Amino acid sequence: YLNAPKLDRVYYMTLTGVYKPSADKKYHNVLVEGASKQGSLQYPVQDLASATDHNVKFHGYFAGGNNANYYNFLVTSYEDLGELVIEMSTIAQVLEKGKGASVKTQGTVVAVNQKGLVLKDATGVINVHVNSQPSVAVGDDVEIAGSRDDYYGLAQISSPTITPKGTTSAVNHGT
């Protein structure tokens, strides 16, 4: 149904995926592996903090969207199916995964901007989209869990959880 929805209709649905709020807690995202569309839970009435990074089944209403790429879902109830367990991967392994895959990797922050950071390990480099100023600095060693995504063809990790490793590394930029 979501391949060609009628955006001016309301439908009852069940949606299962990983609950991942944005870093600023403004957006309530459900990451569905292999999905080609993005959406958010719109103004959930329940406190979902305990379900962060868990597999969750949401019940509610598809409530249209602002275009054919972004959808809204009004939650009436949810079932927490348990914490998501993600195997640690190298950045090269993350880059091989498909869009929407839940990923976890670690490395050194080599660049920071207003919306994210660039992470590097011995196998590669990847952009991490935080959607706000990250609370890390160049040289910080971190672990990142999130969703493998693409932004205009650029591989990235979106909706990340960033865990500092308590160490810093020297950063050598390529020429």
Side-chain angles (χ1 to χ4, degrees):
Y1 164 75
L2 289 177
N3 286 330
K6 295 182 191 303
L7 298 179
D8 61 348
R9 305 270 199 275
V10 175
Y11 299 94
Y12 184 79
M13 296 178 63
T14 299
L15 178 67
T16 303
V18 178
Y19 173 63
K20 194 83 161 158
S22 61
D24 59 7
K25 308 292 188 230
K26 183 177 177 182
Y27 299 101
H28 301 273
N29 304 307
V30 179
L31 307 177
V32 179
E33 191 163 340
S36 60
K37 307 291 183 184
Q38 296 180 18
S40 294
L41 305 178
Q42 191 164 27
Y43 311 112
V45 294
Q46 301 94 341
D47 179 7
L48 299 173
S50 66
T52 299
D53 296 325
H54 286 212
N55 287 304
V56 181
K57 182 183 285 188
F58 292 97
H59 307 278
Y61 293 89
F62 170 79
N66 58 359
N67 61 40
N69 291 317
Y70 298 97
Y71 300 144
N72 295 313
F73 189 77
L74 300 173
V75 177
T76 58
S77 64
Y78 75 95
E79 301 169 53
D80 188 335
L81 304 176
E83 188 172 1
L84 178 66
V85 178
I86 307 169
E87 184 178 312
M88 184 66 72
S89 299
T90 65
I91 291 175
Q93 291 168 326
V94 169
L95 292 169
E96 291 174 1
K97 295 183 185 284
K99 182 178 178 178
S102 295
V103 296
K104 182 173 17 175
T105 192
Q106 57 190 3
T108 302
V109 176
V110 295
V112 177
N113 66 31
Q114 294 177 343
K115 297 285 186 176
L117 59 99
V118 176
L119 189 70
K120 179 180 180 179
D121 72 4
T123 68
V125 180
I126 192 164
N127 186 60
V128 180
H129 180 70
V130 180
N131 203 31
S132 63
Q133 182 73 38
S135 59
V136 296
V138 171
D140 287 351
D141 292 327
V142 297
E143 180 179 294
I144 294 185
S147 179
R148 167 67 170 78
D149 205 354
D150 289 307
Y151 182 73
Y152 293 103
L154 174 67
Q156 68 179 21
I157 298 173
S158 61
S159 301
T161 299
I162 302 171
T163 306
K165 300 299 282 180
T167 58
T168 55
S169 296
V171 175
N172 298 320
H173 297 286
T175 56

